[in-house]
Amino acid sequence: MLDSHQHFWRIDAPECNWPDTDWPLLHRDFLPDDLRAQATGCDLAGTILVQSQPDDRDTDWLFALAAGEPMVRGIVAWAALDAPDAAKRIAALAGRPKCRGLRPMLQAIADPDWILLPELEPGIRAMVDHGLRFDALVEPRHLPALLRFARLWPDLPIVIDHAAKPDAARGVLDPWHGDLAALAALPNVWCKLSGLRTQQAPGQLSADLAPWVSHVLACFGDRTMWGSDWPVLLHMGDTYGEWVDATLALVADLDDAARDRLFAGAAIEFYGLG
């Protein structure tokens, strides 16, 4: 497996503002040895380490941590796209080993159209010029704006994190259903099959995610990649291996080649890991 989405953090770092004590199972350090212990028994060939804090200090720490960690195959970093020096910062990040993309934390921004602001254009252009990918941390309310954004930047590879966080807890499919399909029609847009467990309510079963998983696969096909969203998935009481097993059960109809593509090949291609 190539895990397309996992996190590390130091809970006492000054830049770490989440998770707080309202997330007791997550309110501690999570580092490479913790992931190795969790993934025991899984054929984990590597991971994509994704930022969790909108802070340059966290980004710099992630690169330092990953420099000596062969398990981390690529990093999705953070940069302030609206900063006056965004293009310069992005160029510097793109030159660092293992940098594969950037992730602005759109879910935390009140304006769902923020990503379309003209002052972001120099930063986005720098991403394209330096061959970086765009991880879209969005909720269903962002999808119409993301569609416009993806059409404006056809040369920017975009992946939708956590299938855009649909409201699985209440069983709400629309308008997520149609909006996601519209994005899937664009060849530069991919999707991560990750983070869905934490969109459910306590007590709901992973098997209940079948309508959302089926729709993602029907829309994106071989542009779908599996991710653990570890350690966030621990919030639901699941272990790493349990989410692997749950996903295998949810995609049981896939043949061997499609399953290999979901669990490794898609992420390797999207992030340019070779």
Side-chain angles (χ1 to χ4, degrees), residues 15 87 100 106 112 116 128 143 154 209 211 231 234 256 266:
E15 68 272 13
R100 291 295 181 268
L106 300 181
L116 299 170
V128 174
L143 293 180
L209 292 169
L234 302 178
D256 289 348

Side-chain angles (χ1 to χ4, degrees), residues 22 26 30 147:
D22 291 336
L26 306 182
F30 285 95
L147 178 64

Side-chain angles (χ1 to χ4, degrees), residues 142-161:
H142 297 98
L143 293 180
L146 186 63
L147 178 64
R148 293 168 60 194
F149 175 78
R151 286 172 173 163
L152 286 170
W153 298 96
D155 296 327
L156 179 66
I158 299 168
V159 61
I160 302 172
D161 290 352

Side-chain angles (χ1 to χ4, degrees), residues 27 48 67 104 121-122 141 165 167 170 181 193 219 249 252 261:
H27 191 67
I48 299 296
E121 291 181 9
R141 65 189 176 93
K165 295 194 165 187
D167 189 355
R170 297 189 300 156
L193 199 60
C219 288
R261 175 76 180 180

Side-chain angles (χ1 to χ4, degrees), residues 12-108:
D12 292 330
E15 68 272 13
C16 187
N17 54 38
W18 185 90
D20 56 25
T21 54
D22 291 336
W23 300 72
L25 296 178
L26 306 182
H27 191 67
R28 66 175 182 85
D29 293 353
F30 285 95
L31 298 169
D33 284 344
D34 299 301
L35 178 55
R36 268 187 284 271
Q38 273 275 306
T40 299
C42 301
D43 189 10
L44 185 60
T47 73
I48 299 296
L49 173 58
V50 181
Q51 64 78 228
S52 62
Q53 313 297 321
D55 194 297
D56 288 332
R57 294 171 294 180
D58 180 69
T59 291
D60 293 339
W61 173 72
L62 292 178
F63 280 106
L65 179 69
E69 181 49 69
M71 177 173 58
V72 175
R73 300 281 302 280
I75 295 173
V76 175
W78 179 86
L81 294 178
D82 54 355
D85 63 346
K88 181 178 180 181
R89 170 67 171 170
I90 290 166
L93 289 173
R96 296 188 183 186
K98 301 189 180 182
C99 187
R100 291 295 181 268
L102 298 177
R103 184 172 85 149
M105 303 190 79
L106 300 181
Q107 70 171 10

Side-chain angles (χ1 to χ4, degrees), residues 101-154:
L102 298 177
R103 184 172 85 149
M105 303 190 79
L106 300 181
Q107 70 171 10
I109 298 173
D111 180 6
D113 294 331
W114 180 86
I115 194 59
L116 299 170
L117 293 176
E119 53 262 42
L120 306 185
E121 291 181 9
I124 303 301
R125 172 55 59 193
M127 291 185 67
V128 174
D129 290 346
H130 292 284
L132 296 179
R133 290 82 173 159
F134 186 99
D135 264 60
L137 177 60
V138 294
E139 298 172 339
R141 65 189 176 93
H142 297 98
L143 293 180
L146 186 63
L147 178 64
R148 293 168 60 194
F149 175 78
R151 286 172 173 163
L152 286 170
W153 298 96

Side-chain angles (χ1 to χ4, degrees), residues 223-244:
R223 286 177 286 137
T224 310
M225 63 190 78
W226 177 85
S228 67
D229 197 26
W230 180 93
V232 182
L233 70 89
L234 302 178
H235 179 67
M236 292 297 285
D238 286 10
T239 66
Y240 194 98
E242 285 170 341
W243 174 237
V244 173

